[in-house]
């Protein structure tokens, strides 16, 4: 869906501003959690779909860690 794809891209565009890096990573994590919960997915299910561990999903959502670009594109495909 175009809306969700644009929603994620807006989060990513913020992250290119280095002075806002911590805030941007937090926004990405909040958006990822929102999309995951809206879809009714558990962290373990999303992790399996992405070939990652559930702890990776938790880090992305809670610790302000950003996944690499390839994984972000896979996330876009899922939602």
């Amino acid at each position: 869906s175009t809306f969700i794809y644009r929603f994620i891209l807006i989060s990513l565009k913020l992250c290119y501003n280095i002075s806002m890096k911590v805030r941007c990573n937090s926004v990405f994590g909040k958006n990822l959690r929102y999309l995951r919960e809206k879809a009714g997915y558990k962290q373990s299910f999303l992790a399996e779909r992405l070939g990652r561990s559930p702890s990776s999903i938790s880090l992305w959502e809670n610790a302000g860690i950003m996944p690499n670009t390839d994984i972000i594109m896979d996330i876009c495909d899922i939602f």
Side-chain angles (χ1 to χ4, degrees):
S1 68
T2 305
F3 172 76
I4 294 173
Y5 181 72
R6 292 186 70 192
F7 189 68
I8 291 173
L9 286 178
I10 289 168
S11 294
L12 294 176
K13 286 180 183 177
L14 291 174
C15 293
Y16 285 104
N17 184 341
I18 295 171
S19 67
M20 296 178 61
K21 185 175 181 182
V22 172
R23 182 168 181 251
C24 293
N25 290 355
S26 174
V27 169
F28 176 85
K30 288 177 184 176
N31 288 343
L32 178 60
R33 173 176 281 183
Y34 170 80
L35 292 171
R36 179 181 59 75
E37 290 177 348
K38 184 175 181 194
Y41 297 159
K42 294 186 179 277
Q43 286 182 343
S44 57
F45 177 78
L46 183 58
E48 183 178 326
R49 295 269 319 260
L50 295 170
R52 300 287 182 233
S53 68
S55 62
S56 292
I57 307 300
S58 179
L59 285 172
W60 301 338
E61 289 182 355
N62 301 311
I65 307 278
M66 288 284 291
N68 68 40
T69 308
D70 293 335
I71 295 172
I72 291 170
M73 295 310 295
D74 291 341
I75 291 169
C76 290
D77 290 339
I78 291 171
F79 294 108

